[in-house]
Amino acid sequence: VIVYEKLSPILDEWYVVYAVDKDVALEFLYDFVSFMLYMSFIIFILILYVSIKQSKEIVKPIEELTAITNEITKTHNYSTELRVSSQNEIAILTRSFNDMLKTTSSALTSLEEENKLRLQRFTQLIDVFNTIIQTKSEEECINVSLQEIRKLTKKDNLHFLKEENRDINKISIDLYVTDFQNDDKKVYFGSIELDINGYKDNNEENFYNSIASMITLQLDKIRLIKKTMSASKAKSAFISNMSHELRTPLNAIIGFAQYMIEYEELNEEQKETISNIESSAQYLLGMINDILDIAKIEAGKMNANIQSVNIFDIVKSSYDMLYFLAKEKGIKLNFIFKDFQNKEYKSDPKMFKQIVLNILSNAIKFTQEGEVILELLNNDKNIFVKVKDSGIGVSQEDIKNLFNDFTQVENVMQKSHKGTGLGLSLSKKMANILGGDIILESKGIGTGTLCIFSLPLTK
């Protein structure tokens, strides 16, 4: 292999010539190619190493950021902080992320403290309400309220001011109550002067305003109960006095009517007129007696005279008294007592008999045809008097109203019967006094009625 190169223009005709054996040249070429191959591999390895190292320096902070983000998502621990080990763009992102975590953690801490405070105040409100609601008078309500507020504020210098002209420089909560005699208007009742210089925030002001609302609600309740009880006592006293005044002339009317029927010579028309007078007076007397009993129960003056009684004899006597009334109407009246253990029980015989007579006479009164079944039974805990009839029945909507005073369900048959609507109400109240109860069951109009009087053996 010959290689030549022309010299400079000065030596224009001169050449440098180099000659080498082809085998030597090729051997040199092969050595050079091998060297370049080896160097290429080393350079590739070096580039790969540098690339991996650089990528790790870039990816590792991102992976740490991702891991920290996942951990925060799971644990909600915003106090974590990432290490900053470089000064590149990733470091700037890491610092920003750390600042965001600090801000979030601070906000959450403030929110948790506020929630704890609100929960504490809510619990305090419940405790205050549970204490205030047990008061029975206005004075007791105010005194208990002052005690509770002293516990909350840890301050003893609290005062209740009745006058409206108070010191405007002192923080106080105003109390306005309802004037039930003047169109339910709100009137100033007084104010509680707090021993604080001012409210810390709106939430604290709302807290004390809520306490004021609780106090005024309890004051309204106390005043309303007082007014209602006064009206109830006045009503009961009026009913009692009027009933006593009415019973005297009614007894005289009944006595004179019975005397005229028995001893005077009257024709049939006169006897019928006097009999109507006597029966009307008896009806009025019975109604007045029922009203008197209701008034006594409401006034708490009717007490049970508990003694040993024969329940079977009482129920049998009631059955015998009303048997002929049912027979006159063409109604079959049955008495079942096969599941009753006849022995001495404790009860008030007068009340017990009045209850049985009321529910049994009701069944006969509102049954046109068919039968009325009187059943007496007991178990280990209760005595039951059941009266089942095939009469007019009662709708589900009207059952609960039948136990209200002076209540009768409107229907065609009841319009033909006189009544005060006191029978069931009085019976239920008496049953409650004895420790028992009365329930009414019916599937609807025209399906009959089942009345159950239950009396616990333990009462």
Side-chain angles (χ1 to χ4, degrees):
V1 177
I2 299 173
V3 180
Y4 63 94
E5 177 69 24
K6 190 176 182 179
L7 294 175
S8 64
I10 298 174
L11 301 176
D12 188 30
E13 297 297 333
W14 292 80
Y15 292 85
V16 175
V17 179
Y18 178 76
V20 65
D21 187 77
K22 184 173 67 173
D23 292 335
V24 175
L26 288 176
E27 184 180 356
F28 176 79
L29 178 62
Y30 292 151
D31 290 340
F32 179 76
V33 171
S34 298
F35 172 76
M36 291 304 297
L37 287 175
Y38 288 133
M39 289 303 296
S40 297
F41 179 75
I42 293 172
I43 292 171
F44 173 76
I45 296 297
L46 183 61
I47 292 172
L48 183 62
Y49 170 75
V50 173
S51 299
I52 292 174
K53 185 177 180 181
Q54 290 294 323
S55 64
K56 283 185 176 180
E57 290 179 357
I58 296 173
V59 172
K60 186 177 179 181
I62 297 177
E63 289 178 344
E64 290 179 356
L65 185 62
T66 305
I68 290 296
T69 305
N70 292 333
E71 182 183 353
I72 292 172
T73 304
K74 292 178 181 178
T75 62
H76 301 285
N77 180 15
Y78 294 91
S79 62
T80 308
E81 186 174 349
L82 287 172
R83 290 184 299 104
V84 180
S85 58
S86 63
Q87 298 297 327
N88 54 16
E89 289 80 1
I90 299 298
I92 296 173
L93 176 61
T94 303
R95 290 190 186 95
S96 299
F97 186 77
N98 286 336
D99 292 339
M100 183 191 70
L101 287 178
K102 289 179 182 178
T103 304
T104 305
S105 178
S106 176
L108 287 175
T109 302
S110 300
L111 184 60
E112 287 178 0
E113 290 176 355
E114 185 176 351
N115 285 338
K116 286 180 181 177
L117 180 60
R118 290 189 177 185
L119 180 61
Q120 180 185 7
R121 286 177 174 173
F122 180 71
T123 305
Q124 289 171 340
L125 282 177
I126 294 176
D127 292 338
V128 171
F129 180 72
N130 288 336
T131 305
I132 292 176
I133 200 173
Q134 299 178 22
T135 56
K136 304 297 182 182
S137 65
E138 295 177 4
E139 183 179 359
E140 182 186 4
C141 179
I142 295 299
N143 291 335
V144 169
S145 300
L146 287 173
Q147 292 175 5
E148 292 300 313
I149 297 175
R150 288 190 185 104
K151 293 179 184 178
L152 296 177
T153 60
K154 309 296 183 184
K155 297 180 182 295
D156 296 328
N157 192 22
L158 302 179
H159 304 285
F160 174 72
L161 305 175
K162 195 71 175 176
E163 300 79 12
E164 193 166 4
N165 297 324
R166 63 185 185 279
D167 189 352
I168 60 175
N169 295 320
K170 294 185 178 180
I171 300 297
S172 60
I173 52 177
D174 298 330
L175 306 178
Y176 290 89
V177 295
T178 305
D179 187 356
F180 295 105
Q181 296 179 347
N182 189 17
D183 297 330
D184 294 345
K185 292 182 179 179
K186 292 291 184 180
V187 297
Y188 180 79
F189 181 82
S191 61
I192 296 177
E193 190 176 277
L194 304 174
D195 188 17
I196 56 177
N197 297 326
Y199 296 118
K200 296 179 181 178
D201 50 36
N202 290 334
N203 291 329
E204 186 178 25
E205 183 178 1
N206 294 332
F207 174 71
Y208 285 108
N209 286 336
S210 298
I211 294 179
S213 299
M214 291 178 181
I215 297 172
T216 54
L217 283 174
Q218 181 63 13
L219 289 172
D220 283 345
K221 173 189 168 184
I222 292 171
R223 291 157 62 90
L224 186 59
I225 290 175
K226 185 177 179 181
K227 177 184 177 183
T228 304
M229 291 189 67
S230 297
S232 178
K233 288 180 180 178
K235 179 199 72 173
S236 299
F238 172 78
I239 290 175
S240 179
N241 292 334
M242 288 299 296
S243 299
H244 282 296
E245 294 297 326
L246 289 171
R247 282 204 298 185
T248 301
L250 277 175
N251 283 323
I253 292 171
I254 292 170
F256 286 132
Q258 291 174 345
Y259 176 84
M260 292 179 69
I261 293 172
E262 185 70 25
Y263 298 107
E264 295 293 333
E265 295 182 1
L266 304 173
N267 56 38
E268 290 300 321
E269 184 178 354
Q270 290 172 332
K271 282 185 178 181
E272 184 177 356
T273 301
I274 300 298
S275 295
N276 288 334
I277 293 173
E278 192 261 345
S279 62
S280 297
Q282 290 281 13
Y283 169 75
L284 285 175
L285 184 60
M287 183 177 67
I288 289 171
N289 288 333
D290 287 345
I291 293 173
L292 269 177
D293 288 338
I294 292 287
K296 285 181 181 178
I297 292 174
E298 289 183 350
K301 295 181 179 179
M302 179 174 282
N303 298 315
N305 181 22
I306 303 299
Q307 54 185 281
S308 296
V309 294
N310 190 314
I311 296 295
F312 177 81
D313 288 346
I314 293 175
V315 178
K316 181 65 167 60
S317 173
S318 303
Y319 167 80
D320 293 338
M321 289 176 63
L322 297 175
Y323 178 81
F324 292 101
L325 176 62
K327 188 175 181 180
E328 287 178 2
K329 292 188 66 175
I331 299 170
K332 188 177 180 181
L333 180 59
N334 293 323
F335 180 30
I336 301 174
F337 51 88
K338 62 180 180 179
D339 294 325
F340 179 70
Q341 185 180 4
N342 189 15
K343 61 179 183 179
E344 292 288 327
Y345 294 97
K346 297 286 186 179
S347 187
D348 184 318
K350 183 179 178 181
M351 281 191 190
F352 194 97
K353 185 169 185 176
Q354 187 170 349
I355 293 170
V356 176
L357 285 173
N358 281 346
I359 61 177
L360 187 58
S361 62
N362 262 355
I364 296 172
K365 182 192 297 185
F366 297 110
T367 301
Q368 288 274 40
E369 57 184 12
E371 66 176 350
V372 174
I373 300 174
L374 171 63
E375 184 177 4
L376 176 63
L377 64 154
N378 72 280
N379 56 26
D380 294 338
K381 296 181 179 180
N382 297 279
I383 296 172
F384 298 98
V385 178
K386 297 184 178 181
V387 178
K388 182 176 178 58
D389 63 68
S390 58
I392 58 176
V394 185
S395 66
Q396 294 296 320
E397 294 77 14
D398 291 329
I399 285 180
K400 59 182 180 181
N401 296 325
L402 283 176
F403 291 103
N404 296 333
D405 295 343
F406 304 100
T407 299
Q408 283 187 306
V409 177
E410 291 293 332
N411 56 54
V412 176
M413 185 175 177
Q414 284 180 324
K415 290 179 181 178
S416 62
H417 290 82
K418 294 180 181 179
T420 61
L422 287 173
L424 278 177
S425 172
L426 180 59
S427 298
K428 189 177 182 69
K429 286 181 170 66
M430 287 184 173
N432 293 154
I433 291 175
L434 294 177
D437 197 11
I438 293 178
I439 60 173
L440 208 63
E441 297 177 359
S442 179
K443 295 182 179 179
I445 303 299
T447 61
T449 306
L450 173 63
C451 185
I452 304 174
F453 166 36
S454 60
L455 186 67
L457 298 179
T458 55
K459 294 296 180 68

